Amino acid sequence: MQKLYTFGKYLKKKFHTKVYKVPISIPGFTCPNIDGTSARGGCVFCENESFSPNLKEKEKIKLNLFSKENPLLEKQLESLEWQFKNTIPFLKKRFGAKKFIVYFQSFTNTYAPFDTLKALYEKALSFDDVIGISVGTRTDSITDETLTYLKDLSNTTEVWIEYGIQTSNDETYQKINRGHNFANVVETINKTKKLGLNVCGHLIYGLPGETRKDWEKTFNDTLALDIDSIKFHPMYVTKNTLLAKDYEEGRFTPISEKEYIDILVWSIKNLPDNISIQRMSAGIDNLLAPDWCKDKGIQMSHIIKALKENGIKV
C-alpha cells in the first residue's frame, strides 16, 4: 500500500457522503470464555469481574447461544436507541457526519438467541440516516443461522462482521485464555467470506510472549483469509485484568512505541490496496501501561510521521 486507505475513504467513495460508526454496548451480552462455555475469566487483557467490584454490580442476567428466553430484550432495545440518539448529535457537530453505521462493539455481539439478535439489528437499521450495521464478535460464537440472516440483510444494506483474530499463534491463544484456536478462525472466516459478507479482522501486536516474527506471521496468515478491512491494536494493559497482575509482578513487558510503529508501518506497506484500515492506534480508559498509549492524538501524529517517512501518502 503506497497510499493510506482508511475505512472512512471506503465509505465516502461508496456512499458519497461522510459516514461514521456509532459504537453500541448491549446490556446482558457476554463471551463464551467468561461464562464458562469455552473458558473461565475471559481473555487476560479483558476486565475481569474477580478484580473489579464495578463489574459485579452490572446486569445479572447473561445471554448465550443456548438461552431459551430473553427477559432483557425490551431493556436492550431501549438502551440501543438511547445510545444511538445521544451519540449522533456529537458526531454530526464534531465531524460533520451525515450517515451512520451502528457498531455493536462491546463483548460478543452474536452470542445471544437468534431472535434477540434479529430484533436488535433490525431496530438499529430502522433509525434515521443509518445505512448499515457492523457486528463485533468471536469466530467461535456465531451460528450458521445468524450468518445466513446477515447475508440476507447485506442484499439491501451495508453489513460488516468484525472478528477478533488477535494472533495466529495457538500457543498465544492458550496464554491469553482465548478459548479457541486459529483453525477455528480460518474455518469461520472462510465460511463468512463464501457468503459474500464483509469481514474486518482485528490484530493485536505485543501479546504475551510474541516477537516481531509472530506479528509478521499473524499479518500474513490474516491476509490469506481474504479479509476486507483491518484493525491494528497495540497490546496495552488496563486495570482489573489478569494481564495487569502479570505486569505488576514483572512477568509482562508491554510493546514499546517504536516496536509498534515499526511493525505497523511494515504491515501497512505490505497491505493490499483494496483492504481498508479501520484502526491504527490505542485509546482506552483505565490504562495501566504503557504510558505512550495514553494520548491517541500524540500516537497518531507519530504514526503519520512514520508513514510519510516511509513513502506512504496519508
Side-chain angles (χ1 to χ4, degrees), residues 13-31:
K13 182 178 180 180
K14 182 168 184 177
F15 295 101
H16 309 291
T17 191
K18 189 167 286 188
V19 181
Y20 262 74
K21 293 171 74 175
V22 181
I24 298 293
S25 177
I26 300 298
F29 275 23
T30 185
C31 290

Side-chain angles (χ1 to χ4, degrees), residues 126-140:
S126 74
F127 299 146
D128 291 342
D129 296 321
V130 167
I131 52 84
I133 58 173
S134 188
V135 181
T137 190
R138 293 163 49 106
T139 56
D140 63 349

Side-chain angles (χ1 to χ4, degrees), residues 131-151:
I131 52 84
I133 58 173
S134 188
V135 181
T137 190
R138 293 163 49 106
T139 56
D140 63 349
S141 304
I142 189 166
T143 65
D144 289 347
E145 182 179 29
T146 298
L147 280 172
T148 300
Y149 169 73
L150 289 171
K151 164 59 181 173

Side-chain angles (χ1 to χ4, degrees), residues 58-106:
K58 291 183 180 180
E59 187 60 61
K60 300 292 184 182
I61 300 172
K62 298 295 184 183
L63 303 172
N64 59 47
L65 295 177
F66 314 104
S67 300
K68 299 299 183 184
E69 56 184 25
N70 179 11
L72 299 175
L73 183 56
E74 185 176 347
K75 178 180 179 180
Q76 290 173 329
L77 292 169
E78 290 174 354
S79 177
L80 167 60
E81 184 167 8
W82 185 91
Q83 290 177 67
F84 179 80
K85 291 187 174 179
N86 281 273
T87 302
I88 57 170
F90 168 78
L91 296 177
K92 288 179 177 180
K93 183 177 181 180
R94 177 77 179 272
F95 302 108
K98 303 295 183 184
K99 300 292 181 180
F100 304 95
I101 289 176
V102 177
Y103 175 28
F104 293 90
Q105 181 181 36
S106 299

